[in-house]
Amino acid sequence: MKKTLILAIIFIATCTVSLAQPRAIGGRLGWGAGVSYQHGLGDKNMLQVDLDVSRFNMGIQATATYNWIFPFNSWKGAGSWNWYAGVGGGVGMYWPDWWRYPTNHQVKIDDRSAKLFVGFAGATGMIGVEYNFKFPLQLSLDWCPLIGPSFYKGGVGFNLLGVFGGGLGIRYKF
C-alpha cells in the first residue's frame, strides 16, 4: 500500500511539473516545411523538436535541440524579444534523383542509381531570434544546420545539405 501511494504521488508530481511548463507548437518554413514543438525548461531554457519534410530532395528529418534563452531587456514595447542558441542532434533520410527513375520493379539498378536512398545522422546547432506577442502567438527566425555522415548503398559520405537549415517559425503558445 505504501509503495502504491508513493508511486501515485510521484506520478502526480511529475505530471503537474510537466504541465506547468510553457509550451508552443506550430510550423516552420525554410529548406522545407515542418512541425515545430518547444517545451520550456524553466525561465531560461527550452527543448525544441522539429520534424521537417524537404521540398528539394524528397526527404524527411527530425532534430532536437537544447536551447538557452537570452531576453532583450532593452525592449519596452508590447510583447517580448528573445534570442536563443543551443545544441542537439538529428536524423533523416532522402531520395536523391527520385524523379529520374520509374516506379515499377522491372528496372535493373546499376551502381550509378544505387544511391536511391540516403540516411544521415549528425550534430546540430541552433541560433535564432523570437518575438512573443501579448496574445499566445510566437514568431521566430532561426538557423539550425545538421551536419554529419550520410549512409547509402555502397558507401558513406558527408551530409552538407543540413547547412541550409534556416527557417521561419510560427507557433501557438500554451
Side-chain angles (χ1 to χ4, degrees):
M1 183 68 175
K2 279 185 179 181
K3 291 180 184 178
T4 306
L5 181 61
I6 290 172
L7 286 174
I9 290 171
I10 290 172
F11 178 74
I12 291 170
T14 303
C15 290
T16 304
V17 168
S18 69
L19 291 175
Q21 303 302 319
R23 298 175 303 277
I25 191 165
R28 190 168 171 270
L29 295 172
W31 181 253
V35 177
S36 180
Y37 175 75
Q38 291 180 343
H39 188 89
L41 303 171
D43 292 338
K44 305 272 183 187
N45 305 321
M46 73 174 162
L47 175 68
Q48 182 167 330
V49 178
D50 296 319
L51 178 63
D52 298 318
V53 177
S54 173
R55 65 177 177 215
F56 295 113
N57 59 5
M58 192 62 182
I60 187 169
Q61 81 174 22
T63 58
T65 56
Y66 183 88
N67 296 314
W68 292 271
I69 301 171
F70 306 98
F72 288 117
N73 292 329
S74 61
W75 177 255
K76 302 296 183 208
S80 64
W81 284 94
N82 299 316
W83 73 274
Y84 52 93
V87 295
V91 296
M93 63 182 132
Y94 65 92
W95 296 265
D97 304 334
W98 61 272
W99 61 88
R100 292 187 192 171
Y101 305 103
T103 57
N104 65 23
H105 299 288
Q106 306 284 330
V107 178
K108 181 180 177 185
I109 298 178
D110 59 5
D111 290 337
R112 187 175 46 85
S113 63
K115 297 179 183 180
L116 285 176
F117 168 79
V118 177
F120 58 90
T124 186
M126 179 174 272
I127 187 164
V129 63
E130 69 183 13
Y131 180 73
N132 297 296
F133 290 92
K134 286 265 190 197
F135 48 94
L137 183 68
Q138 176 190 80
L139 294 176
S140 67
L141 182 63
D142 59 41
W143 182 54
C144 183
L146 173 62
I147 299 173
S150 61
F151 309 96
Y152 53 89
K153 184 178 178 183
V156 175
F158 195 73
N159 177 35
L160 287 176
L161 291 175
V163 174
F164 305 107
L168 173 67
I170 182 167
R171 297 177 194 87
Y172 170 74
K173 294 182 70 168
F174 57 101

